[in-house]
Amino acid sequence: MLETEFNVRSPAPAWREETQRAASPEVLLETRTLCFDAGGRRLIDRIDIDIRAGRRTMIMGANGTGKSLLLRLLHGLIPPTRGEVLWRGRPLDRRGRHAQAMVFQRPVMLRRSVIANLRFALAVRGFTGSERTMRETEALQRAQLEGLAARQARVLSAGEQQRLAVARALSCAPRILFLDEPTASLDPVSTHAVEQLIREAHADGVTIVLATHDVGQARRLGDDLVFMHAGRVVETGRVSDVLNAPRSEAARAWLEGRLYLDSSS
Amino acid sequence: MGSFLASLGEAVGLIVTGDPDLLEIIGLSLRVTLTAVAAACVIGLPTGAVVGALRFPGRSLAGVVLNSLMGLPPVVVGLMVYMALSAGGPLGPLGLLYTPTAMIIAQTILVTPIVAALTKQIVEDLHADYAEQFASLEVGPFDRVVALLWDARFSLMTVALAGFGRAVAEVGAVIMVGGNINHVTRVMTTTIALETSKGNLEVALALGVVLLTIALIVNGAVMTFRATAARVTYA
């Protein structure tokens, strides 16, 4: 068992896992033999992981390896073909989903103003009256978009849209925030602003699960890292450990920029 | 060519002098058409949005039916409404046959599938954009439909225009259920057909010109409103 808060369970002896659980933060999310098939192919293959409260977990791996799919399965956007996702020990249900939020690679902006985008999200999550107004104001400040509240969200720059998307997700007070390559198409300044929002959210106690290709970002933001290859988790550990001394051939090849074709995949 | 120009001249004269009969026909045409389009929008917009945005058993079939009904033959609709409203029909006691209400009913039946099918397409495309965000926020079916209709409102104006175009030009159904009764159910299209058959080409032509002008004005007004509203909204 790796000495991280993010665990791949299978190799661990039961007594050790119990000991570590007792000493570690609460497990928010766990997966059991999570599989997802499509088009006759297994795209996610027997993933068993725990995500503990308050940690920042980076999911890395080559294109098409299943990072985004794993996030969607964890968030309950798609049902697994086999296995299950547990939220605080119970099957992920509406209540669990309410404690989660997700930010997509391409921010989804409604054809409305900035403030109306925030208002819509808060309204469907049941926030009303003065609390909703307070959260709207807070989100605008957080995203540094106070001066653009009445502007149509779709005409904002890519960086502003992504800041709004993160602020909108956080305004619903999630316990866990999934981010799918949120800075993939942003310039360094916008990337820094989005990363700052993520840091602030984490400081406020939000658990972060972020898929990224950016090694620098993983080092800047991550506590734990899970490396995927061909729909499987092939390596986990602390970010610095995995990135400085990868144990799996898939991670080593990816970090060196080599094409890695695993015959078993 | 000479007779066409003469008829056109007389037609312009009728319009310019504000012939009361002509104004009455134009007024009734607009009343019937606009009421039918409004009713079709009330029914067709949410129907199209539900089929376009929600997943339910029979959704594909509903889409096929809506698309097929876009080509509903007006005379068939006229016949169905006629049978329903005639003395022996289920709605006979209401006494609606040969009234403007009967014409509104027939036009509403004709226009609703057009509005619903086009709305479905627009909402479906927009929903493809929103689906993951909606799922992440757990937006319920009602909120989903309302949000999509609101966000697609500028595109849906074009849908209403398509419905208006169909209704204002319709003759087969309204002549069957309205009867083309002078000062009661006579509208522009039925008058054009009648006056042409009688050889009064100048009146028919005058109404044709008016019909085209109204269509142009309505389209122009809606498109201008749409462009202005969109510009203000997306400024």
Side-chain angles (χ1 to χ4, degrees):
Chain A
M1 175 67 111
L2 297 158
E3 297 298 326
T4 68
E5 303 298 340
F6 184 96
N7 303 319
V8 171
R9 288 196 300 269
S10 45
W15 63 268
R16 188 169 177 186
E17 187 173 18
E18 288 304 316
T19 307
Q20 186 161 24
R21 275 169 190 252
S24 303
E26 176 198 13
V27 175
L28 278 186
L29 262 186
E30 54 190 301
T31 65
R32 286 183 182 160
T33 332
L34 197 67
C35 297
F36 184 79
D37 301 345
R41 287 183 58 215
R42 175 142 294 182
L43 303 178
I44 292 291
D45 193 8
R46 290 164 292 164
I47 291 184
D48 289 284
I49 53 174
D50 292 351
I51 294 174
R52 294 177 183 274
R55 302 296 292 178
R56 295 174 297 181
T57 303
M58 306 290 112
I59 298 178
M60 301 189 87
N63 286 328
T65 204
K67 303 184 298 295
S68 299
L69 198 51
L70 178 59
L71 285 187
R72 281 159 174 76
L73 286 161
L74 292 175
H75 188 32
L77 292 183
I78 46 175
T81 307
R82 203 157 66 89
E84 60 183 342
V85 178
L86 301 180
W87 173 255
R88 301 175 79 184
R90 304 176 68 173
L92 181 62
D93 57 8
R94 190 177 170 81
R95 205 165 152 195
R97 296 270 314 279
H98 252 70
Q100 304 179 355
M102 183 157 176
V103 173
F104 300 92
Q105 182 175 350
R106 189 180 64 82
V108 182
M109 293 291 119
L110 306 187
R111 292 180 184 174
R112 303 173 186 207
S113 65
V114 169
I115 191 92
N117 265 273
L118 293 168
R119 193 167 294 150
F120 177 81
L122 289 165
V124 295
R125 281 297 176 98
F127 294 101
T128 55
S130 58
E131 188 181 4
R132 188 166 78 195
T133 310
M134 185 200 66
R135 285 177 179 276
E136 285 168 15
T137 310
E138 201 177 84
L140 285 172
Q141 286 168 352
R142 194 197 288 261
Q144 297 174 41
L145 293 172
E146 300 104 308
L148 300 173
R151 182 75 60 86
Q152 276 299 307
R154 289 195 174 206
V155 303
L156 299 180
S157 70
E160 288 167 338
Q161 287 193 23
Q162 198 58 288
R163 273 172 15 226
L164 175 58
V166 176
R168 181 176 60 187
L170 293 172
S171 71
C172 297
R175 288 202 64 188
I176 186 166
L177 178 64
F178 299 102
L179 301 111
D180 186 8
E181 300 185 41
T183 59
S185 57
L186 303 186
D187 63 31
V189 174
S190 299
T191 298
H192 176 76
V194 170
E195 287 183 359
Q196 191 54 33
L197 282 173
I198 296 168
R199 276 193 202 94
E200 287 169 13
H202 177 250
D204 289 342
V206 179
T207 302
I208 304 292
V209 181
L210 186 149
T212 182
H213 285 299
D214 185 339
V215 172
Q217 184 169 68
R219 287 187 193 277
R220 288 191 297 273
L221 291 182
D223 299 315
D224 307 317
L225 191 149
V226 54
F227 194 88
M228 292 182 69
H229 176 71
R232 294 183 198 145
V233 172
V234 294
E235 185 167 352
T236 66
R238 295 196 182 279
V239 168
S240 54
D241 292 346
V242 175
L243 294 180
N244 293 339
R247 285 171 288 111
S248 66
E249 181 55 26
R252 201 162 29 245
W254 184 76
L255 286 165
E256 289 169 1
R258 281 190 287 117
L259 184 63
Y260 175 69
L261 297 173
D262 179 7
S263 56
S264 66
S265 62
Chain B
M1 185 67 182
S3 111
F4 174 77
L5 288 175
S7 297
L8 191 61
E10 287 186 48
V12 171
L14 282 171
I15 296 165
V16 169
T17 57
D19 182 81
D21 285 350
L22 190 64
L23 292 180
E24 185 186 65
I25 289 167
I26 293 168
L28 182 63
S29 291
L30 287 177
R31 183 158 70 87
V32 168
T33 299
L34 293 175
T35 310
V37 171
C41 285
V42 168
I43 303 164
L45 291 175
T47 304
V50 165
V51 178
L54 306 184
R55 299 286 175 271
F56 54 87
R59 176 177 176 266
S60 299
L61 180 65
V64 171
V65 169
L66 284 183
N67 286 336
S68 305
L69 290 177
M70 283 175 80
L72 208 56
V75 285
V76 173
V77 172
L79 181 62
M80 282 161 44
V81 176
Y82 180 88
M83 289 169 71
L85 299 181
S86 61
L91 302 176
L94 297 176
L96 294 175
L97 197 60
Y98 302 132
T99 66
T101 305
M103 296 155 74
I104 290 167
I105 292 170
Q107 286 202 348
T108 302
I109 292 171
L110 276 171
V111 175
T112 299
I114 295 172
V115 173
L118 296 178
T119 300
K120 172 192 163 283
Q121 196 54 54
I122 288 170
V123 165
E124 205 166 35
D125 291 346
L126 185 58
H127 188 246
D129 246 15
Y130 287 3
E132 282 201 314
Q133 186 65 53
F134 278 178
S136 178
L137 288 170
E138 293 199 279
V139 181
F142 179 77
D143 288 337
R144 207 173 269 237
V145 166
V146 171
L148 287 164
L149 282 173
W150 176 252
D151 283 14
R153 61 196 180 280
F154 297 124
S155 303
L156 293 175
M157 284 183 191
T158 311
V159 172
L161 272 184
F164 176 83
R166 166 84 175 207
V168 81
E170 205 286 314
V171 60
V174 292
I175 209 165
M176 288 175 81
V177 300
N180 199 19
I181 302 166
N182 202 11
H183 302 299
V184 180
T185 57
R186 188 159 293 175
V187 291
M188 283 188 279
T189 51
T190 58
T191 312
I192 290 171
L194 178 70
E195 297 300 331
T196 303
S197 68
K198 284 160 55 181
N200 293 332
L201 297 184
E202 65 280 2
V203 177
L205 200 57
L207 284 166
V209 170
V210 171
L211 196 57
L212 276 173
T213 308
I214 286 174
L216 279 172
I217 289 171
V218 170
N219 271 276
V222 172
M223 295 316 283
T224 305
F225 175 75
R226 179 189 155 158
T228 309
R231 197 167 50 245
V232 170
T233 306
Y234 298 128

